[in-house]
Structure formats: C-alpha cells, structure tokens
Amino acid sequence: MFNINYRLFQQKAQMNSYLFLCLTCLNPPAKIRLYLILAGGGFIVNYIKRDLEDKILSLSKEYSCLLITGPRQVGKTTVLRRLMTPERNYVTLDDLEERRMAKNDPALFLQVHDIPIFIDEVQYAPELFSYIKIAIDNGAAPGSFWLTGSQAFKMMELAQESLAGRVAILHMPGLSQHEIYGSGQNMPFTVDLTALKMRKSIGAPVNMDGIYERIWKGSLPGYVSGKFTDRNVFYSSYVQTYIDRDVSELVALVDKLQFQDFIRAAACRVGQMLNIHDIAQDVGVSDDTARRWLQVLEKSDIIFYLRPYSNNLLKRTIKTPKMYFFDTGLVSYLTRYTSPEILQNGAINGAILENYVVSEIIKTYHNAAQDCLLWYYRDKSSNEIDMVIENNGQLHPLEIKRSVNPGSELVGAFSVLDKGSVPRGKGALICMRPELSAINADNYTVPVWMI
C-alpha cells in the first residue's frame, strides 16, 4: 500500500516545482519523510488538477502580467502557488501590513518585493495597477506579475483602465465536473457530432442519482476535495466570510442577517426569470435595495444571468434575464436540502438541474479561456428555449430535461429561431439519457454527464 501511495506522490509532485526539486535532490529516507509529512497534511488527497493550468503557464510566457479573477475559495491561490517557481515572490494583501504599504506607497511596495511576484487579493490595493503599468512599459519580462482578485467586475475595470493591452485576464470558476470526475483535455461544449463523440472519452458516466449528488456537493474545492467534511459548517462559514468581507466592502452598513436572507430568497429562484419585486417582498426591503444587492451578488460572482436572445427580426421576445448561481452546492445549502436524494425529489429539482447544466457549459469555456455566447429564448407567445449558443455563425438551441427518454415534442420550439437573421444549426436535448443519441438528423440527445 505504501509503495502505491508513494508512486502516486511522485506523480503528483512532478506538477509542483518545489516538490519535484525535493524528489530529485533528497536521498530515499528524506523523500519518505517528506512524503509522510505531506500525506499527513492532505497534499495527496486534497488537490484536483485544474483545466486552466496549461493556459496559465502558456500566457505567462507571452504577457508580463496575468490576472486571475473568480469567486472566493475556487482555488485561485492554490493553483498559482503550485505552478510558481522558487524565484517568484508571494505576497498576500490579506496581510494588513502589506496592504497598507501597497495602498499608501505602491512604488515602495514594488521596490521591496522583487519580480517575478505573485500578489494575492490585489483588489485591496488598486493603487498598484498604475505602477505595474510603469514596470511593464519599462520592459518587465513575461510572467513578471501574477495577480488574483475575488471581485471580478472590479478587477476587470481596474485592469482595463490601467493595464489595457498589457494583461492577460482569466476567469477561474469553481471546479467543473470534468475536473472532478473526468479525464483528458477540457473541450468547450459545442453541438457538433464529432465533438460530442469525443466528449464521451473525457466524461464519467453516471445515472440520475449520481448527477444530483454532483449538484448537491457543488464545485468549491474545499468541500469537494475532502479537505473539509462538515458540509453545513463549510457553507455556513463560506456565506459568513463572503458577507463579512466582500459585501461589507461593497455595501455600507448592511444588515448581515437580512442580507443572508436575501441570498436565500435569490437561491429559491434559480433558473427563473428575474423578479426583483418578489425577492424584495420575501426579505422586506425595497425594490431599489434588492436591485443593488443583486448587483453585489453578480459583482462578486455568486450569481450570473442569462440574457434573452433577440435580434431585429424577433420583435416579440421577453426582455427579462434569468438568474443562476455559479455553485449549485451553495444553492442546495441555502434552500436547506440536506441530501442529494431529497434534492432530487424537491420542488427545485428541475430548476437546479438547469442551473447545473448552464454553469457547467460556461465553465468549459472559461477553462479554455474562451468567451461563451449563451442566451435563453422566450417570446410573448410562450415559445421558450432553455439555452441558445451562438457558435461559428449559427444558433444552437438547447433544452434541459430530467427525463431519461425525452420526446421529440420538446424540440418543437427550436424552429422559432428560423425567423431570425442568424441561421439555426444543430440542436440538443440535454437529459438523463445514459448515452449519446439523436431525436432526428438535426437534434441530438446529450447526457448531462458528457458536458
């Protein structure tokens, strides 16, 4: 058993420069001691390789500055610390002394800390961006600056203002089902038969029970990896930390208990068209307050929206967006579903499945550093399509169902896209069917596990 684990340790250590150096330089007894220390600390069982790793390394050879954005606790710091080489300095602005120097004297901060440098939680000192720009303009080498930030909108705004054309920006979502359960290289989801067949080799087949277990567990590495085992404590701490740090910074004098109720009210409406008034009434705040708080949730990557698809030839479309959460485990916790089995039979089982599919499709694009043109469709005649992907100049309609054997009538609304100015391509029913199949020549049935 020890030999098997030690070989696994060797394989994993090759992905980390520090450990690889130790393995090549230490004698066998010392290697064994290092193995035991790291195994006891959870190194072997807790890390899940991320699809963005290769992209991070390749872009660091081209850009002087790399910015990783994403929600809290999705693994930004963990990934970059594993990828960094010994000569790179690491500074976190969670350290109040470092933060004070970065804000009050950014020039001194960059003199004290040599490049290449990894600055964690850089959103706390936006004053650094102008000085990083100066360093890049003065010839900073590729890979000189690695930055992370938990407020994606704020980070994008700062980077575009100060570092336009000088920074590569990547968004790191929570773990995808490909990262947790699959194998091989990540591929952005497309409704192309050849690509769909290839997805069979990188996914992990599972039935409906297994899908809802994945939905219930969510995508945050701390819980999925087994580092933390008490789910209620984990998500409770996550929500409290988020409110104490991000929300308190973005909203002055917020009532923390009321804001937590607000997040729960939003979670009960995943996959639905946004109704700000209903959410506001549930919590007892004004519509304007609810609107501002939703903006906070969006800015901090807790929620996202699917906008309705429309063009100049489709004039009767609904204008209201649909709301989703990035992490379905957080939704399950907030809506008080205590097990995957109860969730599977609960009132939101269809909506949270739709949330899961939409977020997983978006992750396949984020993890390939590509944009995803994704909408939903609904018009005043009640024609509705769960998702519409625009790819290679065509619109691909997608419908999401819990059924194992969905009927052909479920793709009937797809033809409404024929009235638009962009041609309709192949469509798909994403469902619980165990294998890839087809309804007809123009529409496939795709298992949820293949996303």
Side-chain angles (χ1 to χ4, degrees), residues 8-9 11-17 19 38-39 41-54 56-57 74-84 172 175 179-181 220-228:
L8 175 63
F9 168 65
Q11 294 168 3
K12 287 182 174 289
Q14 290 175 8
M15 294 185 286
N16 183 286
S17 55
L19 296 179
L38 291 170
F43 170 80
I44 291 178
V45 298
N46 288 336
Y47 186 75
I48 298 172
K49 187 178 186 301
R50 305 305 297 268
D51 288 333
L52 266 177
E53 290 182 13
D54 291 341
I56 289 169
L57 293 175
V74 294
K76 302 182 295 296
T77 303
T78 301
V79 170
L80 291 184
R81 294 204 71 169
R82 285 181 65 88
L83 296 178
M84 61 187 279
M172 181 176 289
L175 290 162
E179 290 171 319
I180 303 170
Y181 309 105
L220 296 181
Y223 181 68
V224 173
S225 68
K227 181 178 180 181
F228 302 105

Side-chain angles (χ1 to χ4, degrees), residues 66-262:
L66 182 68
L67 171 62
I68 310 292
T69 69
R72 288 198 176 277
Q73 297 187 31
V74 294
K76 302 182 295 296
T77 303
T78 301
V79 170
L80 291 184
R81 294 204 71 169
R82 285 181 65 88
L83 296 178
M84 61 187 279
T85 51
E87 65 269 15
R88 184 177 298 275
N89 290 302
Y90 170 74
V91 183
T92 176
L93 298 190
D94 278 331
D95 184 320
L96 295 182
E97 286 301 312
E98 295 288 2
R99 187 189 304 183
R100 179 190 58 77
M101 179 166 56
K103 287 181 67 66
N104 298 334
D105 197 341
L108 176 62
F109 178 90
L110 292 178
Q111 289 173 6
V112 170
H113 300 292
D114 294 333
I115 58 175
I117 187 172
F118 168 19
I119 306 174
D120 203 6
E121 302 293 358
V122 72
Q123 77 270 8
Y124 291 129
E127 296 82 2
L128 282 171
F129 280 78
S130 295
Y131 288 85
I132 292 173
K133 174 182 178 294
I134 293 171
I136 294 173
D137 290 344
N138 288 336
S144 293
F145 298 95
W146 282 2
L147 314 175
T148 68
S150 298
Q151 298 173 12
F153 279 43
K154 182 177 180 180
M155 292 295 92
M156 294 281 285
E157 182 179 346
L158 289 169
Q160 289 166 358
E161 286 178 359
S162 303
L163 297 172
R166 301 171 178 84
V167 59
I169 303 174
L170 297 175
H171 185 276
M172 181 176 289
L175 290 162
S176 68
Q177 70 169 354
H178 172 257
E179 290 171 319
I180 303 170
Y181 309 105
S183 61
Q185 292 294 113
N186 167 66
M187 298 187 298
F189 180 85
T190 60
V191 190
D192 173 79
L193 186 56
T194 301
L196 290 173
K197 289 179 178 178
M198 291 177 64
R199 300 190 77 83
K200 293 175 63 177
S201 65
I202 64 173
V206 68
N207 61 15
M208 187 183 297
D209 293 343
I211 290 296
Y212 276 92
E213 183 175 355
R214 295 179 182 185
I215 292 171
W216 186 81
K217 288 179 67 175
S219 61
L220 296 181
Y223 181 68
V224 173
S225 68
K227 181 178 180 181
F228 302 105
T229 57
D230 190 317
R231 179 175 174 275
N232 287 332
V233 171
F234 174 80
Y235 274 109
S236 175
S237 301
Y238 181 86
V239 171
Q240 291 305 317
T241 301
Y242 164 66
I243 293 174
D244 290 342
R245 300 179 69 175
D246 287 355
V247 176
S248 297
E249 180 181 345
L250 294 170
V251 183
L253 303 177
V254 65
D255 184 322
K256 295 179 181 179
L257 292 177
Q258 194 172 43
F259 196 90
Q260 183 166 335
D261 290 340
F262 178 81

Side-chain angles (χ1 to χ4, degrees), residues 4 7 28 41-42 85 140 142 171 203 222 227 272 291 307 406 420 423 432:
I4 294 173
R7 285 197 296 272
T85 51
H171 185 276
K227 181 178 180 181
Q272 299 180 20
R291 186 175 291 105
R307 307 293 174 180
M432 295 298 180

Side-chain angles (χ1 to χ4, degrees), residues 282-397:
D282 279 0
V283 186
V285 298
S286 68
D287 288 6
D288 285 342
T289 297
R291 186 175 291 105
R292 288 196 302 271
W293 286 3
L294 284 169
Q295 290 173 351
V296 170
L297 293 179
E298 185 182 15
K299 287 179 179 179
S300 48
D301 272 343
I302 297 295
I303 66 170
F304 66 98
Y305 297 111
L306 272 194
R307 307 293 174 180
Y309 178 78
S310 181
N311 62 43
N312 58 341
L313 298 179
L314 297 170
K315 300 182 183 298
R316 294 176 54 79
T317 52
I318 301 296
K319 305 301 182 184
T320 307
K322 292 172 75 172
M323 181 180 63
Y324 300 91
F325 275 57
F326 273 107
D327 180 52
T328 54
L330 178 59
V331 175
S332 302
Y333 166 76
L334 291 170
T335 52
R336 296 185 171 93
Y337 285 97
T338 57
S339 73
E341 295 76 20
I342 297 174
L343 176 62
Q344 183 176 334
N345 296 294
I348 66 168
N349 58 11
I352 201 168
L353 175 65
E354 180 179 326
N355 193 138
Y356 181 74
V357 170
V358 173
S359 63
E360 287 298 322
I361 287 177
I362 292 175
K363 287 175 190 176
T364 68
Y365 283 84
H366 283 324
N367 288 337
Q370 295 182 21
D371 291 329
C372 180
L373 300 178
L374 186 62
W375 301 275
Y376 83 98
Y377 178 90
R378 184 168 182 173
D379 60 29
K380 295 177 182 178
S381 300
S382 297
N383 294 306
E384 185 169 4
I385 303 171
D386 289 335
M387 288 185 286
V388 179
I389 295 180
E390 184 170 354
N391 193 292
N392 293 325
Q394 292 184 321
L395 298 176
H396 301 277

